[in-house]
Amino acid sequence: MSLSIGIVGLPNVGKSTLFNALLKKQIALAANYPFATIEPNTGIAEVPDKRLPVLSEIAKAAVIRPAVVEFTDIAGLVSGASQGEGLGNKFLSHIRETDAICHVLRSFSDENVIREGAVSPEEDLTTIRTELQLADLATLEKQRQPKGGVDKELFIRWDYVQKFLQTLNDGKMVITDIDSYGDRESAEKYAKELNLLTAKPEIFVINSDEDTLKEEIKKTKDWAEKLHTEEKQIVVVSAKIESEIAVLSTEDQLLYLEELGLQESGLERLAKVAYETLHLQSFLTAGEKEIRAWTIHQDMTAPQAAGVIHTDFEKHFITAKVVSYEDFVEHKGWAGVKEVGKIRQEGRDYVMQEGDVVEFMVGK
């Protein structure tokens, strides 16, 4: 299961620089002029997980495979994008293909980088959200009221169309009103069917100056208030620092972060926020061939998790051998946890927990 996040923002706010850092190589063209990114660049970034090297040491595994996040670097939106300004329509279609929107907002002060419409993080976000709202209004206004003896489902759908329209006409995002419609599951279902941009979960990356980064990270609560969102959705980074860290060895990265007074890189913090925003978690597999983290939705059952490894595993699921990461480490692997009776045999109804170390038993 891959997690797809679209990196969105006005031109020259640091999207491509952040994207390059996330991928640890220069895939996107980070250029100092508008529309440097014309086609969306998509790549896979590994999610840092400090548990994996520990498991590898215990299991003597040859390979470590972290969970991954798919990032799409989407070219800068401009005012009027919903009407085709800039390369608007094309960019909006790329956003529709992602699971979440990562707003990159400029808070750095380098005036050598052309602003191209960027004013302040608050105003920039308003510009972007307005274009997303206008695009969704156009989508909803194309819907037609069902008549006669058609399927009851179509009338329910139409009711949600009206609710979504009211939200957008009130100047709000559908995602912020999703709990007010009465049935969140149905609201999410119809919003997804309609492919509404404003119904996608949001993450907010504040791209800060290098010399004020540490202080800005302490101000996430203030940023949340300014942007009218929750603190847990805010990530303050310096894309420039991230690009410098990206080319270093793991050891040197840790030393550099220590010098900056930081415990985690921007990527690590962004990955955590992304997981929480999309209600995701990881389970782990540990064998001699490889140590691997697998991404699943929270509340997934053991058979569903097995299906992430291979679709046949869900179909032929028998049972799951499960042990907590802490017990696995404390007792030095599968043999140790078996000896002290820490392995649990879980069936089809078992709901997976974050950090479960699992071995699935499947039939033919």
Side-chain angles (χ1 to χ4, degrees):
M1 176 185 293
S2 64
L3 163 64
S4 176
I5 296 180
I7 301 178
V8 175
L10 296 181
N12 294 350
V13 296
K15 299 183 307 300
S16 293
T17 303
L18 179 64
F19 179 78
N20 291 335
L22 288 166
L23 296 182
K24 297 185 180 179
K25 52 185 175 181
Q26 301 297 310
I27 290 181
L29 173 62
N32 183 22
Y33 53 87
F35 308 119
T37 307
I38 297 177
E39 291 298 328
N41 295 285
T42 301
I44 300 298
E46 295 179 345
V47 179
D49 191 332
K50 295 174 182 176
R51 298 171 299 189
L52 300 184
V54 178
L55 293 178
S56 179
E57 183 68 25
I58 292 170
K60 307 302 179 186
V63 178
I64 294 178
R65 297 190 186 279
V68 297
V69 178
E70 180 182 279
F71 285 94
T72 300
D73 179 23
I74 298 171
L77 291 176
V78 295
S79 182
S82 60
Q83 305 299 317
E85 290 295 324
L87 300 172
N89 291 330
K90 196 171 185 180
F91 299 161
L92 292 170
S93 71
H94 294 313
I95 299 172
R96 293 187 198 281
E97 297 169 7
T98 63
D99 298 309
I101 297 174
C102 174
H103 295 281
V104 178
L105 304 169
R106 175 172 177 163
S107 184
F108 63 87
S109 56
D110 185 353
E111 294 305 325
N112 291 319
V113 180
I114 301 169
R115 283 190 171 269
E116 194 61 32
V119 178
S120 69
E122 302 94 304
E123 292 186 51
D124 295 355
L125 180 59
T126 296
T127 297
I128 297 165
R129 279 180 160 175
T130 297
E131 295 307 319
L132 301 181
Q133 289 164 346
L134 289 172
D136 280 355
L137 279 170
T139 296
L140 293 169
E141 287 166 356
K142 292 175 184 176
Q143 305 304 308
R144 293 292 173 260
Q145 183 174 5
K147 296 179 181 180
V150 296
D151 191 335
K152 181 182 177 182
E153 177 82 5
L154 293 178
F155 285 98
I156 297 174
R157 182 179 184 274
W158 177 250
D159 183 51
Y160 276 98
V161 167
Q162 299 308 299
K163 291 176 179 177
F164 297 151
L165 278 168
Q166 184 61 56
T167 291
L168 293 169
N169 283 320
D170 288 342
K172 295 186 288 186
M173 303 285 279
V174 168
I175 189 67
T176 60
D177 264 14
I178 204 79
D179 288 319
S180 71
Y181 301 131
D183 182 348
R184 185 186 180 103
E185 187 175 339
S186 294
E188 288 177 340
K189 170 189 170 185
Y190 292 115
K192 188 172 183 179
E193 281 183 14
L194 292 160
N195 214 349
L196 298 183
L197 298 168
T198 59
K200 293 183 182 294
E202 295 176 298
I203 299 167
F204 305 90
V205 171
I206 309 299
N207 189 9
S208 171
D209 286 313
E210 308 96 277
D211 56 354
T212 60
L213 176 61
K214 188 177 178 181
E215 292 305 312
E216 289 296 333
I217 289 174
K218 296 176 182 177
K219 298 177 182 177
T220 52
K221 184 176 181 180
D222 294 337
W223 279 116
E225 290 177 359
K226 289 179 182 178
L227 301 176
H228 305 290
T229 189
E230 296 182 69
E231 188 176 354
K232 64 183 182 181
Q233 292 172 269
I234 303 286
V235 184
V236 180
V237 307
S238 163
K240 189 172 181 180
I241 286 178
E242 292 302 313
S243 65
E244 292 171 356
I245 291 174
V247 298
L248 301 176
S249 67
T250 301
E251 184 178 333
D252 286 342
Q253 286 182 24
L254 293 173
L255 290 172
Y256 190 7
L257 288 170
E258 188 177 334
E259 287 177 9
L260 294 171
L262 302 175
Q263 294 183 331
E264 296 176 309
S265 70
L267 170 56
E268 290 175 303
R269 289 181 281 116
L270 179 56
K272 288 179 180 179
V273 171
Y275 261 49
E276 184 166 340
T277 300
L278 287 179
H279 308 292
L280 299 171
Q281 64 186 36
S282 297
F283 73 88
L284 311 166
T285 53
E288 291 183 4
K289 289 186 177 179
E290 70 173 23
I291 302 297
R292 186 160 181 171
W294 303 84
T295 301
I296 58 173
H297 289 286
Q298 292 174 10
D299 299 326
M300 266 193 172
T301 62
Q304 291 172 323
V308 171
I309 297 177
H310 195 291
T311 52
D312 286 348
F313 285 12
E314 180 175 4
K315 184 177 180 181
H316 301 294
F317 176 90
I318 297 174
T319 189
K321 292 164 58 177
V322 183
V323 62
S324 71
Y325 167 77
E326 291 75 15
D327 284 341
F328 193 92
V329 172
E330 181 181 350
H331 300 289
K332 308 299 182 185
W334 285 113
V337 290
K338 182 178 181 181
E339 186 176 332
V340 297
K342 289 291 187 178
I343 297 177
R344 309 190 309 272
Q345 296 288 338
E346 302 288 1
R348 303 189 69 86
D349 295 333
Y350 176 68
V351 177
M352 300 291 291
Q353 301 299 306
E354 170 63 38
D356 278 345
V357 182
V358 188
E359 185 176 331
F360 294 107
M361 304 293 107
V362 296
K364 295 182 180 180

